[in-house]
């Protein structure tokens, strides 16, 4: 949460920073701000509540020159979203400015000490406290800025990715991180700093991922220097970025979310590419091979995740239990980390995260690690904190997901988890060879089946227009479709602000049925499979109470059509793979409803893509 950018080089910083902030806006969009040092040594700071475009309008006509600058887009934690609480924040003398992503947990005690020493604060933020502390140490200990940053960071409890600029040093930026991500791009005579690589990719492919408790000293005309906060010198390891610019642009779509929904035939294919060969029956899961025996002997698997990734974890629970006969528990990472869970050293923990930065998931991993469990990551963002904190893992390879509502990450996660479960089942011998082979063929056909569903976009849009004014919605599914019901409800509520709930279809009669009347749309997955007849009975129960039924059915099913208000047909597939196809209509439906209601689809209110606070 919060996006940070910095630039130091020979170009004008402002356009680079603004473009970078727009790319990072998915991380928070409560306010935006910028600081630039012009050639006369004047420090200009502009900040504004709202989006980056509002900052741009505000800065129009003002002095926006300078070849060094920093910028920030905020997801508010301490202090309401307003101009004053926006970053960058000044030190007491106003000689230093800082941007920050993260939370300084002990800011209150630090602030108290500084106030006693005569500091006054303009904002309610924890960030302002930290930059005051750095200046205070620098003045009282008569230290260079780099050392003062080091001393201050040793006093801080919490998470930070910070960039600091000194009015009296036009050639240096200091950047440091702990818990929040930071990437440094190395160009020709120029440096870029950002929360992720998206603001950097069009200028250079050479990047350094800063590690926790490291400080980067970015100096004009000099090589990048890195030291730890314990003052140990580190040799920067330069990675080559694999990301392409097109992957982070809308490519002709109105919204990133729609682009990402349409990318799914490709992203699901990419998540199995090089891993699956249905001809030979070969399944190669790089990350898992080393831990094959551990997986096979695992007493159980614990899955930790949040939000949509947690829903993917629920699908994985069904898959691992069915294919590999290993008991699975799926935990909200935020609950798991605070409830003294029983964790055995023989446990395998699978942490699922698109961003790889979710604070609760990271904390759950650390807890499980401390108890000796083996941690396996399923992440989308390469080099992310979770990917680095786990013992091994498999990337989902969905490509950058920028729309705040997760779509292609979910299907990629489920694909990877399906391959993992099958691989373990094969190693354990819990699946018949013929079934294993049949499933490999079925999985390979999924991208084509998703393509078929996408062709029904116009029908889904029409259904969306019928229900765009609904105040409530119920999503039902059983078995493998239950997690998809939860995911459908989450998609609708987060981008259209319609209250929606997902339920296992049979649970409806234990409470939610009381909500059903002629105003209530009920979205049901009623595909052919073990629970089909039972779901049909649940549909009848809804109809008997005049609820509206919108059903996702297997192509050619006329029975459910006869009792539904609308049906969306999806191609037949193995029951265990249905979530990969049946989630698509719910994604499109939420998208269209949100657009029709005039909501900001890619940046829904109060949300951020990467939840780096607990
Ligand atoms: C919903 C959504 C969130 C995330 C959750 C976990 O559309 O995007 O619920 O799934 O915040 O994020 P990651 O997967 O990055 O750990």
């Amino acid at each position: 949460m919060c996006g940070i950018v910095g630039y130091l080089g020979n170009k004008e910083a402002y356009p680079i920073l603004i473009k970078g902030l727009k790319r990072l806006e998915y991380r928070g969009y409560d306010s935006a701000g910028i600081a630039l040092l012009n050639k006369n040594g004047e420090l200009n700071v502009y900040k504004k509540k709202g989006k980056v475009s509002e900052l741009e309008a505000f800065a129009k006509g003002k002095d926006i020159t300078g070849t060094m600058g920093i910028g920030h887009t905020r997801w508010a934690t301490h202090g309401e979203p307003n101009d004053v609480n926006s970053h960058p924040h000044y030190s007491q003398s106003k000689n230093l400015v800082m941007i920050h992503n993260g939370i300084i947990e002990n800011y209150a005690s630090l602030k108290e000490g500084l106030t006693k020493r005569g500091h006054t604060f303009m904002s309610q933020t924890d960030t302002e406290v930290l930059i005051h502390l750095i200046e205070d140490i620098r003045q009282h200990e008569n230290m260079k800025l780099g050392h003062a940053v080091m001393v201050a960071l040793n006093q801080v409890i919490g998470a930070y990715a910070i960039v600091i600029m000194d009015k009296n040093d036009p050639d240096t930026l200091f950047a440091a991180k702990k818990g929040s991500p930071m990437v440094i791009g190395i160009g020709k005579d120029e440096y870029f700093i950002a929360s992720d690589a998206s603001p950097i990719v069009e200028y250079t492919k050479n990047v350094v991922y800063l590690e926790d408790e490291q400080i980067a000293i970015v100096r004009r005309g000099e090589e990048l220097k890195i030291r730890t906060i314990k003052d140990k010198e580190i040799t920067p390891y330069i990675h080559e970025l694999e990301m392409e610019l097109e992957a982070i642009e809308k490519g002709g779509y109105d919204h990133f979310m729609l682009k990402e929904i349409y990318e799914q035939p490709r992203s699901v294919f990419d998540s199995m590419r090089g891993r699956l060969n249905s001809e030979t029956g070969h399944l190669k899961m790089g990350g898992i091979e080393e831990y094959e025996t551990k997986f096979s002997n695992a007493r159980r698997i614990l899955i930790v995740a949040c939000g949509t990734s947690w829903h993917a974890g629920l699908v994985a629970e069904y898959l691992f239990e069915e294919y590999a006969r290993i008991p699975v528990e799926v935990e909200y990472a935020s609950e798991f980390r605070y409830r003294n869970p029983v964790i055995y050293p023989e446990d395998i923990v699978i942490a699922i995260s698109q961003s790889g930065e979710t604070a609760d998931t990271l904390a759950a991993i650390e807890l499980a690690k401390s108890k000796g469990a083996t941690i396996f990551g399923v992440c989308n963002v390469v080099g992310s904190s979770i990917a680095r904190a786990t013992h091994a893992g498999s990337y989902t390879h969905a490509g950058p997901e920028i729309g705040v509502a997760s779509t292609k990450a979910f299907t990629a996660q489920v694909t990877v988890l399906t391959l993992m479960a099958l691989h373990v089942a094969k190693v354990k011998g819990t699946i018949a060879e013929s079934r294993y082979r049949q499933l490999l063929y079925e999985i390979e056909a999924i991208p084509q089946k998703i393509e078929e569903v996408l062709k029904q976009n116009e029908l889904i849009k029409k259904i969306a227009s019928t229900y765009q004014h609904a105040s409530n919605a119920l999503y039902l599914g059983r078995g493998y479709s239950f997690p998809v019901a939860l995911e459908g409800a989450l998609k609708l509520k987060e981008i259209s602000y319609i209250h929606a709930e997902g339920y296992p279809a049979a649970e409806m009669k234990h409470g939610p049925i009381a909500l059903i009347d002629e105003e209530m749309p009920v979205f049901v997955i009623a595909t052919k499979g073990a629970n089909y007849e039972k779901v049909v009975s649940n549909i009848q129960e809804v109809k008997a109470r005049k609820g509206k039924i919108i059903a996702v059915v297997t192509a050619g099913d006329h029975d459910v059509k006869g009792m539904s208000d609308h049906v969306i047909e999806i191609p037949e597939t193995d029951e265990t793979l249905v979530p990969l196809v049946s989630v698509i209509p719910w994604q499109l439906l939420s998208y269209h409803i949100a657009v029709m209601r005039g909501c900001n689809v890619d940046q829904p209110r109060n949300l951020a893509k990467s939840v780096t606070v607990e």
Side-chain angles (χ1 to χ4, degrees):
M1 297 173 131
C2 298
I4 57 175
V5 280
Y7 177 77
L8 173 61
N10 42 28
K11 299 193 184 89
E12 281 301 305
Y14 180 78
I16 295 170
L17 296 175
I18 288 289
K19 204 177 203 183
L21 287 180
K22 285 186 176 165
R23 296 235 168 98
L24 291 175
E25 229 174 3
Y26 72 87
R27 301 178 66 87
Y29 29 84
D30 288 332
S31 66
I34 215 152
L36 296 154
L37 190 63
N38 72 14
K39 62 177 187 309
N40 303 324
E42 289 154 356
L43 189 55
N44 291 309
V45 175
Y46 307 117
K47 36 197 212 173
K48 209 71 204 140
K49 180 180 170 186
K51 297 185 152 255
V52 178
S53 51
E54 280 161 67
L55 170 68
E56 252 184 312
F58 178 68
K60 217 175 186 138
K62 302 195 168 68
D63 179 4
I64 49 167
T65 62
T67 56
M68 177 165 93
I70 54 179
H72 187 269
T73 176
R74 178 169 187 246
W75 188 86
T77 56
H78 293 72
E80 63 172 282
N82 59 26
D83 295 354
V84 176
N85 287 331
S86 306
H87 299 215
H89 287 285
Y90 283 114
S91 63
Q92 178 80 23
S93 70
K94 291 198 157 48
N95 283 333
L96 304 180
V97 273
M98 185 172 93
I99 48 174
H100 170 216
N101 166 29
I103 289 186
I104 308 301
E105 288 170 15
N106 58 337
Y107 86 102
S109 59
L110 295 172
K111 190 171 185 175
E112 203 183 307
L114 288 163
T115 309
K116 281 188 189 141
R117 290 202 291 281
H119 286 254
T120 50
F121 296 91
M122 319 283 287
S123 76
Q124 298 154 294
T125 65
D126 50 340
T127 306
E128 193 185 7
V129 175
L130 179 55
I131 191 63
H132 276 241
L133 177 69
I134 291 168
E135 181 167 82
D136 191 75
I137 292 169
R138 182 197 199 183
Q139 285 169 349
H140 285 90
E141 309 293 330
N142 200 14
M143 279 178 170
K144 287 191 169 160
L145 181 54
H147 272 106
V149 171
M150 214 172 266
V151 172
L153 293 181
N154 277 289
Q155 295 180 23
V156 154
I157 300 170
Y160 54 79
I162 53 170
V163 189
I164 300 166
M165 221 162 93
D166 181 354
K167 187 180 174 192
N168 297 314
D169 182 354
D171 298 322
T172 313
L173 287 174
F174 289 94
K177 77 143 245 160
K178 183 182 176 190
S180 304
M182 182 173 279
V183 192
I184 299 175
I186 306 172
K188 194 176 170 322
D189 301 325
E190 58 186 355
Y191 287 103
F192 306 83
I193 303 171
S195 300
D196 70 29
S198 61
I200 299 175
V201 62
E202 68 189 274
Y203 307 106
T204 176
K205 295 255 162 149
N206 295 330
V207 298
V208 172
Y209 293 96
L210 211 60
E211 298 283 341
D212 278 356
E213 303 199 331
Q214 290 184 349
I215 302 172
I217 302 109
V218 176
R219 209 162 260 141
R220 210 184 283 278
E222 287 185 16
E223 290 200 344
L224 177 68
K225 288 196 185 63
I226 298 180
R227 303 191 80 82
T228 69
I229 64 167
K230 302 289 179 215
D231 206 13
K232 187 169 159 256
E233 193 173 342
I234 303 285
T235 310
Y237 179 75
I238 301 175
H239 294 254
E240 191 170 333
L241 271 183
E242 282 176 16
M243 180 192 281
E244 295 301 330
L245 188 58
E246 305 82 70
I248 53 168
E249 293 188 327
K250 281 194 198 141
Y253 287 90
D254 287 344
H255 299 95
F256 280 111
M257 183 181 177
L258 190 61
K259 175 183 175 230
E260 287 155 8
I261 292 173
Y262 270 87
E263 274 174 353
Q264 288 176 106
R266 190 210 40 82
S267 55
V268 166
F269 175 75
D270 284 348
S271 62
M272 60 175 97
R273 197 198 342 224
R275 290 174 166 159
L276 179 158
N277 186 335
S278 59
E279 293 300 321
T280 60
H282 201 65
L283 205 47
K284 187 172 165 42
M285 297 297 290
I288 236 180
E289 275 159 8
E290 204 186 323
Y291 290 88
E292 255 167 29
T293 325
K294 272 234 157 195
F295 262 98
S296 301
N297 298 333
R299 192 164 165 166
R300 63 173 177 170
I301 293 175
L302 287 165
I303 295 181
V304 292
C306 303
T308 289
S309 298
W310 185 79
H311 297 156
L314 286 182
V315 179
E317 175 183 21
Y318 291 41
L319 291 165
F320 271 99
E321 295 200 340
E322 182 153 341
Y323 297 163
R325 308 305 297 149
I326 304 175
V328 179
E329 286 168 37
V330 189
E331 303 268 0
Y332 282 118
S334 54
E335 287 297 311
F336 180 79
R337 62 182 289 198
Y338 283 121
R339 67 167 171 73
N340 196 12
V342 178
I343 306 167
Y344 304 108
E346 315 83 77
D347 283 340
I348 298 262
V349 174
I350 302 179
I352 309 171
S353 175
Q354 187 286 127
S355 63
E357 302 296 342
T358 302
D360 284 322
T361 310
L362 253 176
I365 290 171
E366 295 308 336
L367 174 65
K369 237 188 193 172
S370 72
K371 308 277 181 199
T374 303
I375 323 289
F376 200 87
V378 175
C379 294
N380 193 36
V381 177
V382 176
S384 55
S385 304
I386 292 177
R388 282 180 284 134
T390 46
H391 294 111
S394 296
Y395 283 116
T396 50
H397 299 306
E401 190 181 67
I402 293 166
V404 164
S406 194
T407 52
K408 65 174 179 170
F410 174 79
T411 44
Q413 287 165 344
V414 174
T415 305
V416 168
L417 291 159
T418 308
L419 298 184
M420 278 172 65
L422 267 178
H423 183 82
V424 175
K426 177 91 159 91
V427 173
K428 275 191 81 177
T430 50
I431 190 164
E433 181 67 18
S434 54
R435 170 110 177 96
Y436 171 78
R437 287 293 191 115
Q438 175 218 350
L439 279 165
L440 293 191
Y441 276 111
E442 287 288 348
I443 296 169
E444 260 188 345
I446 293 292
Q448 181 53 37
K449 292 182 179 176
I450 295 177
E451 200 85 66
E452 292 300 313
V453 182
L454 292 171
K455 286 185 190 151
Q456 300 190 62
N457 182 42
E458 281 310 311
L459 166 71
I460 296 170
K461 196 169 173 183
K462 234 164 129 187
I463 299 174
S465 77
T466 309
Y467 298 103
Q468 59 173 304
H469 302 298
S471 314
N472 295 289
L474 194 58
Y475 283 75
L476 301 177
R478 288 181 89 147
Y480 284 88
S481 297
F482 163 52
V484 180
L486 294 178
E487 177 59 7
L490 178 62
K491 286 291 88 85
L492 188 69
K493 69 182 117 179
E494 69 183 330
I495 59 169
S496 71
Y497 318 139
I498 294 174
H499 168 238
E501 293 198 42
Y503 259 88
E507 273 294 303
M508 182 182 62
K509 57 186 168 296
H510 298 287
I513 200 163
L515 295 168
I516 292 176
D517 60 17
E518 56 278 9
E519 299 293 314
M520 176 68 105
V522 181
F523 299 94
V524 192
I525 295 177
T527 46
K528 289 281 166 65
N531 294 314
Y532 175 73
E533 271 81 21
K534 299 199 184 309
V535 176
V536 168
S537 305
N538 299 136
I539 291 176
Q540 301 283 19
E541 289 158 13
V542 173
K543 283 319 291 173
R545 286 153 186 90
K546 299 194 166 54
K548 300 281 182 289
I549 290 285
I550 305 93
V552 167
V553 299
T554 309
D557 180 337
H558 296 293
D559 297 342
V560 176
K561 198 172 196 168
M563 58 187 90
S564 304
D565 297 274
H566 309 271
V567 293
I568 304 160
E569 294 191 10
I570 63 169
E572 187 164 9
T573 183
D574 188 273
E575 193 174 357
T576 61
L577 306 178
V578 166
L580 288 167
V581 188
S582 61
V583 74
I584 312 291
W586 291 168
Q587 294 172 345
L588 281 171
L589 191 94
S590 308
Y591 170 77
H592 290 302
I593 290 182
V595 171
M596 287 166 191
R597 288 167 73 96
C599 298
N600 187 337
V601 173
D602 283 334
Q603 292 165 350
R605 70 185 179 207
N606 305 338
L607 290 173
K609 184 78 187 154
S610 180
V611 186
T612 54
V613 296
E614 59 172 285

